[in-house]
Amino acid sequence: MSAPHLSSGQKTMAELAAEYGLKPDEYAVVVDRLGREPNQVELGIFSVMWSEHCSYKSSKKHLGKFPTTGPKVICGPGENAGVIDIGDGQACIFKMESHNHPSYIEPYQGAATGVGGIMRDVFTMGARPIALLNALRFGDPNHPKTRRLVEGVVAGIGGYGNCVGVPTVGGETNFHRGYDGNILVNAMCVGLADADKIFYSAAPAPGLPVVYFGSKTGRDGIHGATMASAEFDEGSDEKRPTVQVGDPFAEKLLIEATLELMATGAVAAIQDMGAAGLTSSSVEMAGKGGVGIELDLDAVPQRETGMSAYEMMLSESQERMLAILKPGREHEGERIFKKWGLDAATIGHTTDTGRMVLKHKGAVVADVPLAPLFDDAPLYDRPWTEPVKPEPLAPLPEPDDWRAVLLKLLAAPDVASKRWLWEQYDRHVMADTLADSATAADAGIVRVHGTKKALAVTSDVTPRYVAADPFEGGKQAVAEAWRNLTSVGADPIAITDNLNFGNPERPEIMGQIVRAIDGMAQACRALDFPVVSGNVSLYNETSGVGIPPTPTVGAVGLLPDSSKRAGYGKLQPGHLVILIGEPGSHLGQSLYLREILGREEGPPPPVDLAVERRTGDLVRGLIQDGVVTTVHDLSDGGLLLAATEMALASNVGIAFGPDAADLPSLLGEDQARYLIAVPNPVAMEVYERAEAAGVRAEPLGMAGGCELAVIPAHGEPLFAIDLDDLRAAHEGWMPAYMAKA
């Protein structure tokens, strides 16, 4: 094709390339690959496929450090989602992905379509979605936009997930001024499939029909992938047209139609239309299969009149799929799509040319080689600087008023109950949820229907640790997710991740990315916890100020027998409360330091992965053998907050003795620790098994009464607070905050 003719007054292709997010040297590569200037349609295709969101051009070099294989891994990174073997011919398919920029610009639709998109990644591989999670980071509660963003995001997540009928069983919600201009909305979906019926996206051969089905294509979401690959500025609100609009009822129909189509055996390859819409789905299917693809855009079902080829290829309208069917099987698809009331059309075919050819209104509007789009995007080894380690924290004085400290911690935005939030989510639809946000357990648990097995699911990261030391913080994020699964009795299997960072073109930000990945990879190897899927979300910053580095870890584990599971709401009067692990000593980057003293200082707690493994294996074995049913891992707020949450969930008080009567013991956030509670006759077995495992197990208190108390060896109690007062502080903050005008 010849270069397009540009009349006077029109922008040159190079000028348009800059608007579309391509740098001058990248545009020069496009021209070199084509042997000519692109036209606008071709330029749009290159710009989205070479965006950070689609190509991972700044992170791919470092993502290769992750372990991605293991005895239970069926499919690792590179497909729509990761696949693991859970036995009995069954597989679990899961992934986490971000919808950060859209959710800041239009919180309801941004969050809703994030949920819809991550579900499509899972069911496009043949799985029925069975659980959703979300990891949300908002700005300072006092920021003028925060309350509206919380309200919109939560409504969007609930509105979409509830309507589709998939339970939202867990997640996390944090507040920090570092997210004032760029919130994070990370959504995770977990699904179940038969291990011998997994569907992949690579087109297997030329000469096969390409079928579009789902909702019609509109003008929403055009250049959404490009927008997600750029930092915000004062004009970010003007990007509202790039936010997609979701329809959860259409998604439900799409799920059923897709799974029914797969059951016919007619599908040769299939891909959802996510970021970059029809462009990315068609490029990835043809590129992975090593074939070409030709599309007739006149056949694309369109929601609006007069749509151009450029608009159709770059639209990110929701609830759409692209399938390559086996020869002569189109009629089976037509029957199913008609049954479910979905728009559908055969819009092209695969070829042996290795090129993407697009036709519109009888003319060829794009003709480009697929290789530069699929596997020849620019890859960068960006310069990076080693993050500066914080100075050691000087010893801290003991608090003057322990009662005030604990009540303030419980009412802190990161700690306070999120009941207001998760009550808006349907947590029990499908009737297989065994533990969710309302349950006192460190992970969500969903029964594998018709079996005694269950999946445990969680998400975690502590951004203040990563900001202080990306390497240790990255290790901790993986270890904390592993610990959450262990705490309910699950065998940890694999993780998905969502790496949220600022602008990688700044060496200090790239240093955060590199070192966090290094730490995560080390933890994954030490804990036999491979990465099977994930997402990288960069340029999360506004006017040059990046978010706190937030590499969210989503994890899945298997409970072999769901009747042998643990939580932290089963405390009974007379139980011994035992600390598994070392006494607390580390206050750097602790919640106490931040929320009570107003300081974010010191190094985060170090993570000894050998100790983590040894301690977790002990606790998991105690649960699976039916010895222990009351377990809570220690994380934010250390022993004191874990004990408070255990007491409130069980409505039983705890009295701690002198071994837990100082600041480091109570509020240190040292890792590889669990709080368990057992009847006195069982304690000896716990001690013996801990000694055999080389793990410290120390009784610290006794359950009973209606107070949380710490009693030193001599003198008055350090504090004794009624559970009703603790509950009022814990439950009160968020409803009061959201009720403000």
Side-chain angles (χ1 to χ4, degrees), residues 396-410 587 592 596 637 639-641 644 660-668 708-710 712 716-721 726:
L396 298 173
E398 294 286 316
D400 294 327
D401 185 345
W402 270 102
R403 177 186 177 87
V405 165
L406 181 51
L407 292 176
K408 186 173 181 180
L409 281 175
L410 287 175
L587 290 163
Y592 171 76
I596 304 303
L639 172 67
L640 184 55
L641 283 192
T644 303
D662 58 66
L663 174 60
S665 296
L666 286 169
L667 288 169
L708 185 72
V710 174
E716 294 295 316
L718 198 64
F719 63 87
I721 309 177
L726 295 173

Side-chain angles (χ1 to χ4, degrees), residues 303-359:
R303 193 171 68 228
E304 301 177 51
T305 58
M307 290 192 71
S308 67
Y310 173 89
E311 290 171 328
M312 281 186 273
M313 291 304 296
L314 272 66
S315 167
E316 292 185 7
S317 293
Q318 297 292 286
E319 294 88 39
R320 301 181 300 158
M321 304 286 287
L322 201 64
I324 294 175
L325 300 185
K326 296 174 182 176
R329 306 291 290 271
E330 295 95 326
H331 65 283
E332 294 174 74
E334 290 170 3
R335 174 183 58 79
I336 292 168
F337 304 141
K338 183 177 181 180
K339 169 186 173 181
W340 291 102
L342 298 176
D343 286 289
T346 299
I347 65 169
H349 59 275
T350 56
T351 69
D352 61 2
T353 65
R355 302 182 71 83
M356 169 184 269
V357 177
L358 306 178
K359 296 180 178 179

Side-chain angles (χ1 to χ4, degrees), residues 396-467:
L396 298 173
E398 294 286 316
D400 294 327
D401 185 345
W402 270 102
R403 177 186 177 87
V405 165
L406 181 51
L407 292 176
K408 186 173 181 180
L409 281 175
L410 287 175
D414 277 8
V415 179
S417 168
K418 305 303 184 296
R419 181 183 301 275
W420 177 93
L421 182 155
W422 49 251
E423 281 188 339
Q424 300 184 49
Y425 304 151
D426 190 332
R427 308 181 307 281
H428 295 279
V429 64
M430 301 175 75
D432 282 319
T433 303
L434 300 178
D436 59 67
S437 304
T439 310
D442 287 312
I445 304 175
V446 180
R447 183 191 296 111
V448 178
H449 196 75
T451 76
K452 68 177 184 178
K453 300 181 298 188
L455 293 172
V457 295
T458 187
S459 72
D460 225 299
V461 66
T462 310
R464 64 182 186 278
Y465 292 175
V466 189

Side-chain angles (χ1 to χ4, degrees), residues 69-92:
T69 60
K72 295 186 178 180
V73 176
I74 295 174
C75 178
E79 271 294 338
N80 290 286
V83 187
I84 56 174
D85 186 347
I86 60 169
D88 306 311
Q90 294 176 304
C92 172

